[in-house]
Amino acid sequence: MEFKEFDYNQYFEEIKGIFKSANWSAYLKDDEKLKRSFKNSIYLLGAFENNKLIAFIRCVGDGEHILLIQDLIVDSDYYRQGIGTKLFKSVSKKYKDVRSFCLFTDIHDIRDNEFYKSVGMVRIEKKDMISYIR
């Protein structure tokens, strides 16, 4: 397995396939909007098996004071192989000096919440902070 930065244009259909495999349908409603969101990202790291994109992590922010992991997703055929952990740890190391390193996930998604706790993330209130969203 190879981990590397990649061009979203070259792998656009594979990206959509990964979203589909994980039932992340909100991303699949507008191809142009999805392309713009990837274009505006500051970092993309993919996991490849035999040159096929099977997982990726996408980051937004400024890379200095704020970094938001927007997507960390693994094709459902490759779950529970440590791929998400490797992607997360690679980004965490690359952006180790960013003041606010954060992500959002569904509060009811037990698997995702357990994963993020296992890689050292804590709920925002543990840092005496609050978050607002529109």
Side-chain angles (χ1 to χ4, degrees):
M1 185 162 312
E2 181 181 15
F3 294 85
K4 64 182 180 181
E5 293 179 48
F6 67 99
D7 177 6
Y8 70 91
N9 282 309
Q10 183 178 350
Y11 294 95
F12 190 69
E13 291 304 317
E14 290 178 38
I15 289 167
K16 291 189 337 181
I18 293 169
F19 283 136
K20 187 174 182 180
S21 83
N23 295 315
W24 288 22
S25 59
Y27 285 93
L28 301 174
K29 295 176 182 175
D30 185 333
D31 281 2
E32 293 308 310
K33 188 174 196 169
L34 183 58
K35 286 178 183 178
R36 285 190 305 273
S37 70
F38 272 74
K39 179 183 178 191
N40 292 327
S41 301
I42 64 168
Y43 189 65
L44 296 171
L45 182 67
F48 293 82
E49 185 170 82
N50 300 320
N51 293 318
K52 178 186 176 200
L53 180 67
I54 60 167
F56 62 88
I57 190 167
R58 179 169 74 96
C59 304
V60 298
D62 62 23
E64 297 294 335
H65 293 281
I66 182 94
L67 181 104
L68 173 69
I69 295 176
Q70 178 61 35
D71 303 313
L72 172 53
I73 187 166
V74 177
D75 186 291
S76 61
D77 291 340
Y78 296 89
Y79 283 174
R80 311 231 19 107
Q81 296 182 29
I83 298 166
T85 300
K86 288 178 184 172
L87 288 168
F88 183 89
K89 287 184 176 182
S90 179
V91 167
S92 186
K93 182 178 178 182
K94 177 177 178 63
Y95 291 103
K96 66 181 176 17
D97 295 324
V98 170
R99 187 170 60 91
S100 295
F101 185 98
C102 52
L103 59 92
F104 297 104
T105 196
D106 186 330
I107 196 165
H108 301 292
D109 189 325
I110 295 167
R111 189 188 74 196
D112 281 1
N113 281 277
E114 290 304 314
F115 170 78
Y116 289 119
K117 288 177 192 174
S118 78
V119 293
M121 298 297 284
V122 297
R123 291 176 62 133
I124 195 165
E125 64 267 15
K126 298 273 187 189
K127 297 286 187 172
D128 291 327
M129 297 179 79
I130 191 166
S131 181
Y132 296 92
I133 191 167
R134 176 178 59 104

